[in-house]
Amino acid sequence: MRPELKVGILFLLHITILCSAQTTKVRGRVTDENGEGIPFAGVFFKGTTTGITTDLDGYYSLICDDLSADILVAQLLGYDIVEKKISAGKFTTVNFTLHLTDNLLSGAKVKADNRKAAQLLANIQKHRDRNDPDRHKNYSCDIYSKIELDLTHPQEQLRSKTFLREFGFVFDYVDTSSVSGVPYLPVMMSETIARRTRSSSPDFDSEKVIANRVSGINPEGNNLLSQFTGSMHLKTNFYRPFIDAFDMQFPSPIQEAGLLYYNYYIIDTVMTDGRKNLLVRFHPKPLVSSPTFDGEMRIDVQDFALRSIHARMKNTTNVNWMRDFILDAEYVRCPDSTWFYKSDKLYADLSLTLRDSSKMMSFIGKRELNYSNVDFSPSRIPDRKAGIVDVSSDASLKDDAFWAEVRPRPLSPKEESVYEMVDRVKKVPLFNGLYDVIETLVNGYYDYGKIGIGPYFKLLSHNTHEGLRLHFGLRTSPEFSRRDRIGAYAAFGFRDTRLKGGATWEHMFSRVPERKLTVSAKRDVVQLGRSSSPLAEGNILATVFGGSKTCRLTEMSSYSVNYKHEFSMNLNAEAGFDFKRYYPSSLPWVGERFHVPLIAPDGNAVSSVAANEFYLSMRFSKDETVNRGHFVKKYVHSRYPAVTLSLAASLDGLRENDFGYFRPELSLRWNPRIPPFGTAKFFFNAGTITGQVPYPLLHIHEGNSTYLYDRFSFACMEFMEFASDTWITMFYDHCFNGFFLGKIPLIRNLGLREQFTARLAWGWLRSENNGDRTLPSESIIAPVLLPNGTSQIGSIPYVELGAGISNILKVLRIDFFWRMTHRDERLIVDEDSELAPAGVTASGGGTRPPKVLRYLRTPNFAVKIGAEISF
């Protein structure tokens, strides 16, 4: 089985066994004699420092590792103190009713004191350079992380007879959540030991995973999962203005502009480690619609440093799949009077519905980080070739004795048995069958031993050129080789009755860092000017949503060699060559407007055009998260822009009808988060082509004649409508995450999100490349004429704007686009007139009739639909 999918499979099948260590868990509510919730009441375990204050509605939840603590206390100024005995080591719901000390009193009234809070926040910012752990010039530390995934209401969700027969033993390990009070069955657990190294001069931040183990994952090939179980992708720092979690941005309660989002209540002063601390409650302001926190924090009075914080998600109106989210963080004062991380805990309740329904699939995710062996002295710069996270080759091979020594506290006997129990589950045939189904859905191929069959979404499609198209592909699986992958496919169109196909060989010299060689050859039909989106290719979705009716396909052959070389986490390069040839397409059953002919200015047909292209590209990025599979590396996210510089050149004279040119190109991608105004996605591309080339070798601007939303194409532009040899394109998409709609009553409950889109294309054709058929015949000197209806953009840029609504039913989006420029009808050559320009024929046998031109209406408005899953 492939290791990068094991966690997902176990997570979805709900069948791994784990039981939490022995802890006392309590939750409940503190109310007055009238049943009204009492905010800010202190609830704590007697004789310990474990406690919390209730929220605005009087609710609380607590976990205590001290099994000797069996008395729970609730108190608040003006009320009698109440104590209750509980059962240590178990989950208990404990509700308190507090009575006024004197009936003449009305109880303690706590009001927001934002004036004092403003002074406190200012002092926190003033001392941030000294107190923020990430502001240290240098530091290194050991980090132990533990991640646990749990299935809630297992008895209700896993009640089929088949499951009970095969996996009924798992119910012996059901536990209860102290936060929600619901039963859960643990489904995955991971442990990681890593060494974190950070420096500001020179600037680097990296992590070395020393040891890692994940329940159900074989040691071999565990590198992929190990990257995401350390601290680099899990740690939170409340000194940053916003906390990034699950693709959401929560405003930090200690940021300088905290009063824009929160009301603050200074409750009390408490002593911790002999130092005075302010106990401060924070609650989101009424008109704030973006996700925020509700909770309490302790601020060291002398250093104005954050000592601890308990933050729980509020304003869940525009949050998907998450019913609850809690962060707990502790900081410790170091011998040099600075502060550093002590521990960091996360709790997330994920569900298909926000309602507390046992019939809906829901999961609990827990994560814990513990820091030790902190060193602030300058460190040796680690080897960064492997990326921001480097995994030791023997990280997944550590024995039980090693783990027993490095854990902050020992696991319980039931926790220790989780790995043995997972192995038992993996031997059940039902597990293996469901694994194969899910792996096929994720990868597109069904692996049968050493051979994979697919991709399933291309097996059947339809277009005007080929009619019904059947596509069948094979490739070797990782079971065949983890270094070499061989693939081939064949396709047949029932209308053009032509067989197409291709073959590929991939050789992985090294996965970390990436060193990969790819050799491929194919002959197939392609859509010139399609975007990089997978939906732009021939597949079932494009067929269903209109892509087959307006495509302008042409046949192409290609023989290419590509080599990828990862120099460092910030620099990746590609080099290779691509010998490609394009053939005309003028099938009788396709309308002339959708032909892709190759016709010389003198009216003679050109059999084909070719390029012998050699290229080199360099990709520059910073602190980018990378997902490494067996043969594919995917760039996940970076806070910084990623820039790609490409240089391509074609040599002429090597083959018939080949052309020489030089093509430099610059691209930039950036997905900045702009809380509280949502997130943006920006793409910029510019380039030029020097030399005389036919239109298949020009830059064909990305059109989209389907009903599908495509972020990298123009919604109101038809396929092959514009071509350029010098161009600039920009795509900007902004999701406001309900910033406006979240403030409208009733509508806010729908969780809709506002979308804004702006797209621009600007390009020109030099006279030697401008084969526009509507131009006077004597002025055309291009190698071949442009297809009918294709032209240059010209001096006025092409601009389209869009607005839409996303998060419809948490999945769908609909966007409306308007073409702002080039809205006029454009000239094309009439289908019934001769395509050759007017003038003397090549044989001298007289003149052809003049071209007849007519106007073609442009699509000035478009509606696109799409699907996306986000939190």
Side-chain angles (χ1 to χ4, degrees), residues 112-124 253 255-256 258-259 262-266 280-281 297:
D113 193 345
N114 290 334
R115 182 180 59 84
K116 291 183 179 179
Q119 298 175 355
L120 179 62
L121 294 176
N123 281 319
I124 292 175
Q255 66 158 287
E256 192 171 12
L259 287 170
Y262 300 103
N263 286 320
Y264 294 86
Y265 306 81
I266 301 178
V280 182
R281 262 278 177 182
M297 56 187 175

Side-chain angles (χ1 to χ4, degrees), residues 577-653:
F577 64 83
D578 187 2
F579 285 17
K580 49 192 175 183
R581 183 175 293 275
Y582 296 91
Y583 302 88
S585 171
S586 301
L587 300 176
W589 56 83
V590 180
E592 187 274 338
R593 183 180 158 213
F594 301 107
H595 286 178
V596 189
L598 292 174
I599 301 177
D602 62 4
N604 293 320
V606 178
S607 61
S608 64
V609 295
N612 311 307
E613 185 177 275
F614 297 82
Y615 60 88
L616 171 67
S617 69
M618 308 291 287
R619 188 179 190 277
F620 306 89
S621 61
K622 178 178 172 61
D623 295 346
E624 190 165 28
T625 303
V626 176
N627 187 340
R628 299 179 188 272
H630 286 296
F631 294 95
V632 179
K633 182 178 74 171
K634 294 182 179 180
Y635 302 101
V636 180
H637 176 72
S638 173
R639 292 183 295 161
Y640 306 97
V643 179
T644 302
L645 175 64
S646 300
L647 303 175
S650 176
L651 303 179
D652 57 354

